[in-house]
Amino acid sequence: MARANNANINEALQQHCAVLCHCNGGRDVKEAGTQTDSKVQGHGPRLSKGNLFTLLSLWMELFPREELVLRNDDNELVRGTGLVVVREHKVVGLHCSGAELHAGQLAVIQHGPRLASCELYFSRRPCATCLKMIINAGVSRISFWPGDPEMSLLAGACDRTDSISQEAVLDAVAVEKMKANSRPHIGVILQPLAHGLQQFVNETSKKCDFMERVSNDTPDLDVEDLFRRQWRQNLGRFSRFILPEQPHRHVLTKMGLENFCMEPYFSSLRQNMRELVEVLASVSASVPLLQHGFYKMDNDRKEPLGHDLPQARPVSQEIARHCIIQAMLLAYRTEDHKVGVGAVIWAEAKYGRCDGTGRLYLVGCGYNAYPVGSEYAEYPQMDNKQQDRQRRKYRYIVHAEQNALTFRSSEVKDEENTMLFVTKCPCDECVPLILGAGIKQIYTTDLDSGKDKGDISYLRFSSLPGVQKFIWQKTSQDTCASAHDAHHLANGCMGKHDRQVEQESQTSKRHRPDHFSNLPPV
């Protein structure tokens, strides 16, 4: 009965959203992948397109900055904002506010007329300065989380700064007027999670390659307890996206969204965001930056380059971890639920662009899926344990790295450092593509490196020439000591250390379902 009531509430909220933003309650948003237009969803839970892009925008707002140019204090007028640019179901831009430019302005500068017919997903409602430019660019849809907007309505609340509050209110009025007279669909696209997805994310996050490496390197560590503690910390950090109830009602009223304050719409809206924040906390907890980080493979340190060009400097551990979590979020949109893989490609320009990402810009991203236009049920789902090789899926699945390269939004430039962040070790099918594309650095795990699983093998990765390989592994004592002197914990070569020989065991620990039910509500 409770589940039926929740379904009725969610349906009512979508209908209410349709009235506000003319989006048909999200029903005209095709449930298509970033790469595929699958008409039939696969077995098992899967992130919806709208929720995936919303999660990426929230995560981009937290992009590690070399300088804390956006403090997000109570007295700060402009809040940092994350933005995802989508064209034909493909992510073509990941942005966050910089010291001088807002996220929307950065999108206009980088994409220009290519923004026409794109969908934009903001982590908070954009200000009037950004909105008028992106409307003028001809975008088809603008989605945002209706919390504290980019021009903060909570700024100056502590010291009652009238000028700041008045400026924010005037901006909210201008935004609402432009929204009412614009061609794009502007509003909130936030959907409840698929049934069982939260538990699925928790279980797969605890058993992912990064947590398995932590467990192998530190046998006496309680990985379950580590994950739980990381999840709690992340939940406390990310819960700022969900305002306390009374300030949230105040913000919605000031933005002209009084109708969202009505029940059951208000509670359902906040519940949907709370579910997304819990997913983000789980995925982020699966890559704990404690004694582990991304360091060069031992055999990669002595590999000759074969040319006189200097090796590119690695990104900081914080940025590497952030990009890997982007890839992990993409993996939950996969059509291969047994082995979900995500990949993100970033490049480092020679000069900064006043972007919150510094000199980094997105080249492409993807996840493993079936070919474009195909239906999920048309292809086999059996893995390599099945005896009938004709009924296995490996020959039909397009790998995450392949999709990221195929649907890239920018070309790979030889003079720039182009980095691939992928949640699993690249297989032999992808290695030639990575080498031929000109990728300079790879950040991943090596649990499958050197293995041959019949249909798919990972024998060529460790000897991939001319590409720096940064593997998730335990730091050495020397690296830990030198990290205290650095402004940021940068990637580097680690000394050799004893590793346990990896053995493929048929027995695996069964993790009990953990809904974190004993935690206080956000």
Side-chain angles (χ1 to χ4, degrees), residues 244-276:
E245 184 172 336
Q246 290 305 318
H248 196 186
R249 291 183 185 273
H250 169 75
V251 166
L252 290 174
T253 302
K254 290 293 185 181
M255 284 196 296
L257 300 177
E258 298 92 342
N259 291 335
F260 272 120
C261 297
M262 299 171 57
E263 295 293 352
Y265 314 123
F266 181 72
S267 297
S268 183
L269 182 75
R270 291 169 59 82
Q271 176 61 29
N272 290 344
M273 174 53 76
R274 184 177 290 109
E275 291 176 351
L276 286 187

Side-chain angles (χ1 to χ4, degrees), residues 177-353:
K177 185 171 296 186
M178 283 190 287
K179 168 187 169 183
N181 292 278
S182 65
R183 291 168 297 176
H185 297 162
I186 304 175
V188 181
I189 302 179
L190 201 60
Q191 303 154 334
L193 293 182
H195 178 66
L197 179 59
Q198 180 64 64
Q199 180 179 345
F200 177 74
V201 172
N202 287 337
E203 294 303 314
T204 53
S205 295
K206 284 186 288 188
K207 296 183 289 186
C208 72
D209 284 11
F210 300 98
M211 292 299 289
E212 185 176 348
R213 168 59 71 189
V214 172
S215 178
N216 291 342
D217 291 344
T218 316
D220 57 342
L221 179 67
D222 187 341
V223 177
E224 290 266 357
D225 180 66
L226 171 63
F227 180 85
R228 187 188 300 273
R229 286 187 285 109
Q230 292 283 311
W231 189 87
R232 287 176 180 270
Q233 294 174 6
N234 293 337
L235 187 62
R237 179 189 176 196
F238 303 154
S239 62
R240 64 188 179 90
F241 289 116
I242 309 175
L243 295 174
E245 184 172 336
Q246 290 305 318
H248 196 186
R249 291 183 185 273
H250 169 75
V251 166
L252 290 174
T253 302
K254 290 293 185 181
M255 284 196 296
L257 300 177
E258 298 92 342
N259 291 335
F260 272 120
C261 297
M262 299 171 57
E263 295 293 352
Y265 314 123
F266 181 72
S267 297
S268 183
L269 182 75
R270 291 169 59 82
Q271 176 61 29
N272 290 344
M273 174 53 76
R274 184 177 290 109
E275 291 176 351
L276 286 187
V277 169
E278 291 177 353
V279 167
L280 189 60
S282 297
V283 175
S284 181
S286 65
V287 193
L289 271 179
L290 299 176
Q291 292 183 333
H292 284 71
F294 292 94
Y295 298 92
K296 281 188 178 180
M297 295 182 68
D298 290 337
N299 62 343
D300 196 39
R301 295 188 299 119
K302 302 178 181 180
E303 180 182 303
L305 286 178
H307 51 74
D308 297 331
L309 294 178
Q311 286 185 319
R313 294 183 58 183
V315 296
S316 69
Q317 294 286 0
E318 292 85 355
I319 291 178
R321 177 177 179 268
H322 190 277
C323 296
I324 279 289
I325 292 173
Q326 290 173 355
M328 296 187 71
L329 289 173
L330 286 161
Y332 285 105
R333 182 64 185 163
T334 184
E335 294 170 349
D336 181 4
H337 297 284
K338 183 175 179 61
V339 187
V341 183
V344 182
I345 304 175
W346 287 84
E348 187 174 15
K350 292 185 177 180
Y351 305 101
R353 307 179 182 182

Side-chain angles (χ1 to χ4, degrees), residues 3 38 164 186 196 236 247 261 349 375 451 460 482:
R3 185 176 300 174
S38 298
I164 293 179
I186 304 175
C261 297
E375 294 187 2
K451 295 180 180 179
R460 303 176 63 180
S482 62

Side-chain angles (χ1 to χ4, degrees), residues 75 156-163 165:
N75 296 326
C158 296
D159 59 2
R160 301 292 182 180
T161 307
D162 293 335
S163 60
S165 300

